[in-house]
């Protein structure tokens, strides 16, 4: 359980000030191999030098994950796997324009699997599907990533 309140006041080289305020409340829970978290927040950005960029935002995030593992033998876990889902959204209202709202939604799904080869070497394979900034045709990006990593711990 957490609450974060950040307030920044800045000044540029010409002496123009800007104010940014963001407040986020979050909660997380883990039990056994399951994890979940959720957060909601609000934000405000004001700059007298550029009032067209003044905005209010509302945001949310939700995540759910599950991990799987085999039994360790001589201190080495043979394999682990996990699945994670994350969704977030942001509504932004530009004050100068009035009621115009820009809504951005991002979702991400990740599967990963790792296998310990020795106490020091692990191989990891993962797949991710990211759909970022849906709601904005300029910033929208859909990504598919598949990768393999070798990890050495010394």
């Amino acid at each position: 359980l957490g609450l974060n309140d950040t307030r920044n006041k800045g000044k540029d080289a010409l002496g123009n000030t800007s104010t940014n305020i963001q407040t986020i409340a979050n909660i997380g829970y883990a039990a056994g191999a399951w994890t979940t978290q959720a957060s909601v927040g609000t934000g405000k950005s004001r700059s007298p030098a550029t009032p067209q960029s003044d905005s209010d935002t509302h945001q949310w995030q939700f995540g759910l994950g599950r991990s799987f593992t085999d039994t360790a033998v001589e201190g080495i876990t043979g394999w682990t796997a996990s699945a994670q889902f994350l969704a977030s959204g942001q509504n932004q209202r530009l004050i100068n324009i009035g009621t115009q709202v820009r809504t951005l939604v991002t979702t991400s799904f990740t599967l990963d699997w790792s296998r310990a080869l020795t106490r020091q070497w692990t191989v990891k394979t993962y797949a991710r599907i990211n759909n970022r900034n849906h709601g904005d045709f300029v910033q929208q990006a859909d990504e598919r990533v598949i990768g393999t990593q070798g990890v050495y711990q010394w």
Side-chain angles (χ1 to χ4, degrees):
L1 183 63
L3 179 64
N4 182 8
D5 186 58
T6 305
R7 296 167 186 262
N8 297 319
K9 191 166 197 166
K11 187 182 284 190
D12 66 15
L14 299 175
N16 299 313
T17 61
S18 62
T19 303
N20 295 296
I21 299 170
Q22 186 173 29
T23 303
I24 298 174
N26 58 53
I27 187 168
Y29 182 73
W34 288 94
T35 61
T36 188
Q37 61 89 19
S39 64
V40 294
T42 62
K44 178 188 324 194
S45 179
R46 301 289 188 270
S47 175
T50 56
Q52 68 276 11
S53 66
D54 290 355
S55 65
D56 290 332
T57 59
H58 299 280
Q59 59 212 30
W60 59 269
Q61 185 176 50
F62 171 76
L64 180 65
R66 172 80 162 98
S67 62
F68 308 87
T69 187
D70 72 344
T71 306
V73 177
E74 296 180 16
I76 301 174
T77 301
W79 60 266
T80 61
S82 68
Q84 299 165 356
F85 173 76
L86 180 66
S88 62
Q90 179 184 49
N91 297 327
Q92 182 181 39
R93 183 173 72 91
L94 297 174
I95 303 302
N96 201 22
I97 297 174
T99 59
Q100 180 177 347
V101 174
R102 185 172 70 169
T103 302
L104 302 176
V105 176
T106 297
T107 57
S108 178
F109 182 69
T110 304
L111 294 172
D112 66 57
W113 175 85
S114 63
R115 170 98 171 119
L117 304 174
T118 68
R119 287 187 188 275
Q120 293 177 302
W121 281 102
T122 302
V123 65
K124 180 179 180 177
T125 302
Y126 56 90
R128 290 188 183 98
I129 300 171
N130 295 317
N131 300 306
R132 293 186 325 207
N133 296 327
H134 279 237
D136 184 328
F137 73 94
V138 174
Q139 295 181 14
Q140 180 174 323
D142 293 331
E143 304 167 326
R144 308 293 184 263
V145 179
I146 296 174
T148 300
Q149 294 175 303
V151 179
Y152 179 78
Q153 293 180 341
W154 60 90

